[in-house]
Amino acid sequence: MTTAHPTTTTLTGPPALAPLLARGALLSPLKRPRPDADFPRTRLVLPGLRVDLARLAAYERVCGFPTGADALPVTYPHVLGFPSAMRLMSGRDFPLPLLGLVHTSVAITRYAAMPATAAYELTTYVEGLAPHRRGTEATVATEVRADGEVVWESRSTYLARHGSAKTPGPEHGPPTPASGPEPLPTRREWRLAGDVGRRYGAASGDRNP
């Protein structure tokens, strides 16, 4: 395996999602995921990023955040970084197939208040790959800077499910118990409108079905 040297690519605007999703779908059958595969070392940097306040208000309404304040919800920078993450994960040099990729976790840290009207610099990169009991997991990092200081960062993990020579398949694994584990207790019940997924997709740009 050869390891590429880290590089930085400066973007002039957020990448368009539709072509990236199409490219990722076309390349997915060619991918052979494994935890020791090479991965892109490119850092995508988007300077001078300003928030579309109308889209922000739509996002706040669909997610239940207060509207009208000059402050970004703590989760909104993840939406801003999503197109850059898709550019990395839809590329030929990203070893996991975009089709079937499961977003398994996100850890967010905000270090300072983030006015909605400020300008930011957004950096996105693939931090690494790791074995998972169900396949291979990639970690994608996003950092947001204001005046050169990191004010927000996240680590998202994405799982590509596949078999492994070291992991027994269903036919070789332990027998399946007659009954599964007891269901977890209900702590809170949410009642969501039937169109909430479509409204979230329109507000965030993430139309993953």
Side-chain angles (χ1 to χ4, degrees):
M1 179 183 71
T2 59
T3 300
H5 295 291
T7 60
T8 298
T9 298
T10 301
L11 306 177
T12 58
L17 278 173
L20 298 178
L21 294 173
R23 180 178 71 175
L26 289 173
L27 292 176
S28 286
L30 307 178
K31 303 296 182 72
R32 298 294 181 266
R34 64 182 197 277
D36 62 344
D38 198 10
F39 57 90
R41 263 60 177 190
T42 302
R43 286 175 172 252
L44 299 180
V45 178
L46 178 58
L49 175 64
R50 289 194 175 273
V51 174
D52 183 324
L53 298 181
R55 290 191 65 179
L56 172 62
Y59 176 89
E60 290 171 333
R61 286 192 294 269
V62 74
C63 294
F65 289 109
T67 60
D70 186 17
L72 294 182
V74 67
T75 54
Y76 197 68
H78 175 77
V79 172
L80 299 177
F82 184 69
S84 294
M86 283 297 101
R87 173 164 166 168
L88 291 171
M89 292 191 291
S90 65
R92 190 176 297 274
D93 54 352
F94 185 72
L96 309 186
L98 192 61
L99 288 182
L101 206 60
V102 181
H103 190 185
T104 50
S105 73
V106 58
I108 292 173
T109 305
R110 183 173 60 187
Y111 299 103
M114 300 181 68
T117 52
Y120 298 100
E121 180 182 271
L122 189 146
T123 302
T124 307
Y125 57 95
V126 180
E127 194 169 66
L129 303 179
H132 185 279
R133 63 188 178 89
R134 294 187 181 275
T136 298
E137 204 167 51
T139 299
V140 179
T142 300
E143 300 167 352
V144 180
R145 289 175 171 80
D147 298 323
E149 298 293 329
V150 176
V151 294
W152 185 99
E153 65 179 357
S154 73
R155 298 292 185 277
S156 288
T157 55
Y158 297 88
L159 172 65
R161 291 172 288 191
H162 60 85
S164 168
K166 298 181 180 180
T167 303
E171 67 275 12
H172 302 299
T176 303
S179 60
E182 294 185 6
L184 296 174
T186 301
R187 297 299 186 190
R188 179 173 297 180
E189 183 175 313
W190 291 355
R191 296 185 181 276
L192 304 176
D195 65 344
V196 69
R198 292 189 295 275
R199 290 192 292 121
Y200 178 83
S204 68
D206 182 2
R207 299 178 184 272
N208 189 341

